[in-house]
Amino acid sequence: DGGITQSPKYLFRKEGQNVTLSCEQNLNHDAMYWYRQDPGQGLRLIYYSQIVNDFQKGDIAEGYSVSREKKESFPLTVTSAQKNPTAFYLCASSMLGRAHNEQFFGPGTRLTVL
Amino acid sequence: SQQGEEDPQALSIQEGENATMNCSYKTSINNLQWYRQNSGRGLVHLILIRSNEREKHSGRLRVTLDTSKKSSSLLITASRAADTASYFCATDAGTSYDKVIFGPGTSLSVIP
């Protein structure tokens, strides 16, 4: 079964802690993305990566960090510098190329800061 | 600034009726996509329309694109309660990269 998975589904963090959200895909996609979604709103791009060992900041990268050591994996760390991290986080992947940029999404991780 | 803006923000219809959602964008695009999101879930790709296409169909979905007006519409015919979801348009903003920009979405409620 090909797909994209995220874990955990729910995550609780104390203020001042860093947490890492997992995203794995077995679709052989080159590009991977992290989005943040706040209640009743659209998606905002945090980081994206088009190739292993390379990634670019999106619109709201402050307080977040990523790595892309393997094609299949694109973990997101929410650092203590992110002042309002409570949100729904979505990971996506796609093939490269304008004609093929349909994105496949994972089920999401809901992060709550206690 | 957002590239795509959906209209209306929320839509409530009876089962069997048609639902129409609109998307407007600001800059030239290579293609425009529509996605669906059920509550608390990830997004699912519905349809992609290229800038040189004017209309596209997929089952009960019909998408139109008017590049002169920088707008697109998504029509769901004969709606079902299972169509209840949020619908987002996404554009590539004509960039050379693969990132897309999502609008804020239309929340559709189909009442049985």
Side-chain angles (χ1 to χ4, degrees):
Chain A
D1 250 355
I4 180 164
T5 59
Q6 292 184 241
S7 63
K9 188 176 173 88
Y10 299 97
L11 186 57
F12 299 90
R13 187 193 96 171
K14 293 181 181 178
E15 286 195 23
Q17 281 184 335
N18 293 354
V19 290
T20 297
L21 283 59
S22 169
C23 178
E24 304 276 334
Q25 54 97 2
N26 61 3
L27 299 167
N28 200 33
H29 285 166
D30 291 295
M32 295 188 75
Y33 313 82
W34 273 105
Y35 295 94
R36 171 183 171 136
Q37 186 178 33
D38 292 284
Q41 298 191 29
L43 279 64
R44 291 185 289 170
L45 182 65
I46 305 172
Y47 269 98
Y48 66 103
S49 169
Q50 295 177 295
I51 196 168
V52 173
N53 293 323
D54 188 39
F55 46 82
Q56 289 79 39
K57 292 182 179 180
D59 301 317
I60 55 165
E62 186 175 348
Y64 300 98
S65 66
V66 293
S67 62
R68 187 88 188 273
E69 297 177 2
K70 298 186 300 181
K71 186 176 183 178
E72 302 79 17
S73 179
F74 191 40
L76 173 75
T77 296
V78 184
T79 74
S80 57
Q82 171 49 239
K83 298 305 176 191
N84 185 22
T86 294
F88 189 49
Y89 291 87
L90 288 160
C91 180
S93 69
S94 72
M95 294 172 63
L96 278 180
R98 293 176 192 172
H100 301 289
N101 60 357
E102 168 190 347
Q103 296 193 9
F104 293 77
F105 282 80
T109 292
R110 189 167 299 279
L111 173 64
T112 303
V113 173
L114 302 173
Chain B
S1 62
Q2 287 176 335
Q3 166 73 329
E5 293 273 347
E6 291 91 346
D7 168 56
Q9 288 187 328
L11 181 60
S12 183
I13 60 173
Q14 296 288 331
E15 202 165 30
E17 294 180 337
N18 295 343
T20 300
M21 288 158 269
N22 303 298
C23 172
S24 59
Y25 56 92
K26 297 175 183 173
T27 63
S28 62
I29 61 171
N30 297 303
N31 59 58
L32 183 146
Q33 304 175 62
W34 284 92
Y35 287 82
R36 163 186 158 151
Q37 183 182 34
N38 288 83
S39 181
R41 312 287 282 275
L43 277 70
V44 174
H45 183 263
L46 295 176
I47 199 164
L48 181 152
I49 187 165
R50 293 185 170 80
S51 59
N52 61 354
E53 297 175 311
R54 292 296 167 256
E55 187 170 312
K56 207 161 181 180
H57 296 256
S58 177
R60 294 183 296 112
L61 305 180
R62 172 178 168 251
V63 169
T64 61
L65 179 64
D66 187 334
T67 53
S68 66
K69 294 181 180 178
K70 292 186 170 60
S71 68
S72 172
S73 68
L74 170 67
L75 169 67
I76 304 174
T77 60
S79 64
R80 306 166 182 168
D83 294 327
T84 295
S86 292
Y87 293 83
F88 297 89
C89 71
T91 58
D92 64 352
T95 68
S96 61
Y97 301 107
D98 286 277
K99 67 173 185 175
V100 297
I101 302 172
F102 288 84
T106 291
S107 177
L108 173 65
S109 296
V110 181
I111 303 165

